[in-house]
Amino acid sequence: MAIKVLLVEDTATELKFLTEGLRSSGFEVDTATNGSEAYKKVYTFAPDIVVSDIVMPGIDGYQLCRMLKNGDDTKKIPIILLTVMDKKIDAFWGKKAGAQLFLSKTIDIKALASNIISTVKRYPLKDEYKKALIENASSASSAQLKLNSVLNDLLLKSIFSNEFRNLNDFLNYERILVERLFSLLSSFVEYHVAGIYFASPDDFAENILYIDTLGRNLSKNLLNDVCYDFFRNMEEQKVIKNSKFEVVKMLLGKETDYQISDFTSKIIIPLVFDRKLIGGICFYTRANINYSSFGFFDIMISELLALFKMKYQYTEKEFMSVLDGLTGLYNRRQFEIGLEQEFNRTKRHPADFSLAIMDIDFFKKVNDTYGHQYGDYVLKTVSDLLKQSFRKTDLLYRYGGEELVVIMPETNIDGATIPVQRLRSMVENYDFEYNGVKARVTISIGLTMNYQEFSSTAELLKSADDALYKAKEGGRNRVVLYER
């Protein structure tokens, strides 16, 4: 028995050409010139497959496809969409509308016939199914009521949005989230290079730009140029300051010799919520594209903003669990973990790191004289000065009470003396004033490093405590280095 093909095409010459070609290939063909007519003929002709153009007046190919796939009595009918459009977004919508194949109208008849045969073999319809279609012919009269342009627009927007919302499951797996997001974006956005940046609530966190090159192994210089361009744009828009960044390359393959000047079109989008930068995304391509004219651009940005907001809030929640609430520094538990990790790392891979413990001089007297609110103000202000004095790679903690601690990776004791003395001087010269009351505050600091004779973090910590004790005994407001 011949395969029954319902051919839907609104151009008379194209319809005649395809009809004759398919009939000569042995198919039984019935035709329709628009989606509404095709929907009715599905019930009267009971085809094995529908082959439809996309751009048609009234109900177009996408709408016809989605309408058939939404009906219990028609959803099993395989559909091939034919179009002259060749953008990724067209194939994306064809797939999401439920079509089994998305083919160019320039395909020759033999190739089209071959695709029809293979599709029908893969999605065969039983005779009982087709018989039921004919028996339900009365359902065909409601075609225009079932789908119209407004509903189609809403439907596509819903599908589009759901694709992003399905990524919420990976909020706590950043690398997987990035890979899935790149996979989604690359299915409908034209680009040669794309970047994703998640902002961190931690001011000392490294700014990481994840980059997708669609399998192209781009040069390190180009990747750095893209990162520089991205973060410079963020700075120019005043959504980020003093950016330092790290490149994380995703999905590399065949080497190319692109330069950043080869990218004729680009868009860099900071994602801001409640006047706070929560992330950003960028696209670069060698094609001439106006990204903002993309039909669903606003929806894409809205969904990205929602996704990045949830990611930021998740990270913020995790971050706050390891912070001291008053100072914004890492808490004592995190110090113990951080010190152990750094100590073990430098045992495996020999390298220097320094440790400084500091104490606010006569802090009890400040509390007793001016009150605990003044004491909290002093502690918070000293912590803020601490953040200004050290690098992003240094780790800052509130050890307990008025004691603060800094771990300085890849830094020997001589190198650590510079920022530590700078901090001491900044505190000494700072004008502390709270509720109109002024006070003079100083700090004492003990400094050590991971000398070879230390076999445990306890010994290392004791050496810093000993140096701090000598700083206090020596008159306070000074830095004392541990003496071996």
Side-chain angles (χ1 to χ4, degrees):
M1 183 180 295
I3 293 174
K4 298 175 69 176
V5 178
L6 177 58
L7 180 62
V8 191
E9 171 61 59
D10 65 318
T11 304
T13 54
E14 189 70 16
L15 181 63
K16 181 179 178 182
F17 170 76
L18 291 173
T19 301
E20 291 176 352
L22 291 177
R23 284 175 177 167
S24 65
S25 298
F27 298 105
E28 181 180 350
V29 181
D30 199 355
T31 64
T33 57
N34 57 64
S36 180
E37 182 184 4
Y39 187 77
K40 295 175 182 178
K41 286 202 172 182
V42 162
Y43 289 90
T44 57
F45 182 57
D48 295 290
I49 190 169
V50 173
V51 178
S52 176
D53 185 17
I54 290 179
V55 181
M56 297 182 294
I59 296 177
D60 64 23
Y62 290 140
Q63 296 168 330
L64 172 64
C65 185
R66 190 68 265 168
M67 187 161 52
L68 292 175
K69 293 301 179 182
N70 279 2
D72 290 337
D73 51 355
T74 57
K75 63 183 179 182
K76 292 183 179 180
I77 301 173
I79 301 171
I80 294 177
L81 292 179
L82 300 178
T83 183
V84 294
M85 299 182 289
D86 59 355
K87 299 296 183 183
K88 283 188 174 182
I89 190 65
D90 302 316
F92 175 85
W93 288 134
K95 182 178 180 181
K96 294 307 175 183
Q100 275 64 44
L101 282 178
F102 184 90
L103 301 177
S104 170
K105 292 182 76 170
T106 59
I107 190 171
D108 62 52
I109 288 295
K110 288 185 178 179
L112 177 59
S114 176
N115 277 284
I116 290 173
I117 293 171
S118 61
T119 303
V120 170
K121 284 183 178 179
R122 188 175 180 184
Y123 304 97
L125 297 180
K126 294 182 178 179
D127 290 338
E128 304 92 286
Y129 186 88
K130 293 192 288 182
K131 181 179 179 181
L133 278 175
I134 296 174
E135 291 175 351
N136 293 331
S138 59
S139 301
S141 61
S142 60
Q144 288 294 338
L145 297 177
K146 288 188 175 181
L147 196 66
N148 54 47
S149 60
V150 174
L151 179 58
N152 179 69
D153 187 57
L154 291 174
L155 179 63
L156 294 179
K157 287 179 180 178
S158 174
I159 295 171
F160 194 74
S161 297
N162 285 337
E163 292 295 314
F164 284 96
R165 294 170 190 177
N166 288 337
L167 298 177
N168 290 338
D169 294 338
F170 307 102
L171 291 176
N172 56 334
Y173 304 102
E174 187 165 297
R175 290 297 186 93
I176 298 177
L177 175 61
V178 169
E179 290 177 359
R180 296 295 180 93
L181 187 51
F182 275 138
S183 178
L184 173 59
L185 292 171
S186 65
S187 69
F188 63 85
V189 179
E190 302 283 348
Y191 66 79
H192 286 86
V193 175
I196 292 172
Y197 162 65
F198 294 114
S200 171
D202 183 358
D203 292 335
F204 285 81
E206 194 79 10
N207 292 320
I208 297 176
L209 182 65
Y210 294 96
I211 287 183
D212 178 23
T213 66
L214 296 177
R216 305 176 184 90
N217 191 9
L218 305 184
S219 70
K220 183 177 180 180
N221 287 339
L222 175 59
L223 296 178
N224 285 335
D225 286 345
V226 168
C227 286
Y228 175 77
D229 189 44
F230 176 83
F231 285 113
R232 182 188 61 183
N233 183 277
M234 294 286 174
E235 290 175 349
E236 289 175 350
Q237 297 191 46
K238 303 185 185 305
V239 292
I240 193 171
K241 297 179 180 179
N242 304 321
S243 62
K244 296 180 180 179
F245 59 82
E246 175 187 349
V247 181
V248 177
K249 296 176 284 188
M250 314 286 287
L251 306 174
L252 298 183
K254 184 178 179 182
E255 186 173 355
T256 64
D257 58 355
Y258 290 162
Q259 304 296 319
I260 195 166
S261 58
D262 293 332
F263 299 132
T264 55
S265 298
K266 73 174 182 180
I267 188 167
I268 298 174
I269 308 163
L271 298 171
V272 179
F273 176 76
D274 196 22
R275 294 183 293 181
K276 181 188 300 181
L277 179 70
I278 58 175
I281 193 162
C282 59
F283 300 108
Y284 294 77
T285 180
R286 300 177 72 189
N288 188 13
I289 293 176
N290 181 4
Y291 281 108
S292 60
S293 66
F294 167 53
F296 288 86
F297 183 83
D298 291 341
I299 300 175
M300 180 184 77
I301 298 303
S302 176
E303 292 300 331
L304 284 172
L305 186 63
L307 178 66
F308 277 60
K309 178 185 173 184
M310 292 186 67
K311 174 68 169 64
Y312 187 89
Q313 290 175 333
Y314 177 86
T315 304
E316 188 174 45
K317 181 180 178 181
E318 294 293 301
F319 179 61
M320 294 303 294
S321 70
V322 301
L323 289 186
D324 172 67
L326 174 63
T327 64
L329 305 177
Y330 290 118
N331 58 32
R332 178 167 182 162
R333 173 59 181 154
Q334 288 305 116
F335 166 68
E336 294 170 350
I337 294 172
L339 182 61
E340 189 74 29
Q341 289 176 339
E342 189 65 16
F343 189 83
N344 291 337
R345 184 183 71 82
T346 55
K347 286 295 183 183
R348 292 192 304 270
H349 308 286
D352 294 331
F353 79 89
S354 294
L355 175 68
I357 296 182
M358 56 203 70
D359 189 281
I360 299 175
D361 296 328
F362 302 112
F363 187 70
K364 184 177 184 300
K365 185 177 179 180
V366 171
N367 275 330
D368 292 344
T369 304
Y370 305 115
H372 287 283
Q373 286 187 340
Y374 202 104
D376 287 348
Y377 156 71
V378 169
L379 186 56
K380 177 67 168 65
T381 302
V382 171
S383 298
D384 290 342
L385 295 174
L386 182 70
K387 296 174 185 177
Q388 297 174 28
S389 301
F390 290 86
R391 305 165 300 182
K392 279 195 170 186
T393 52
D394 298 325
L395 305 171
L396 316 179
Y397 305 88
R398 183 182 182 185
Y399 187 60
E402 70 273 23
E403 284 191 327
L404 309 175
V405 187
V406 181
I407 297 174
M408 291 165 273
E410 307 292 336
T411 308
N412 61 28
I413 199 165
D414 292 330
T417 302
I418 298 172
V420 167
Q421 284 286 13
R422 179 170 59 238
L423 173 66
R424 185 204 60 76
S425 178
M426 289 175 67
V427 173
E428 180 185 21
N429 294 298
Y430 190 85
D431 294 325
F432 288 86
E433 183 177 352
Y434 183 76
N435 284 343
V437 178
K438 296 182 179 180
R440 180 175 180 270
V441 177
T442 60
I443 58 173
S444 300
I445 304 173
L447 184 61
T448 189
M449 64 176 285
N450 58 327
Y451 295 109
Q452 288 296 319
E453 59 263 33
F454 296 146
S455 60
S456 67
T457 56
E459 292 180 8
L460 174 62
L461 191 55
K462 184 179 183 303
S463 70
D465 269 328
D466 290 345
L468 176 61
Y469 177 79
K470 290 183 179 180
K472 292 180 178 181
E473 288 291 299
R476 292 182 168 82
N477 188 26
R478 66 192 60 217
V479 178
V480 173
L481 279 58
Y482 171 71
E483 295 181 359
R484 303 168 65 182

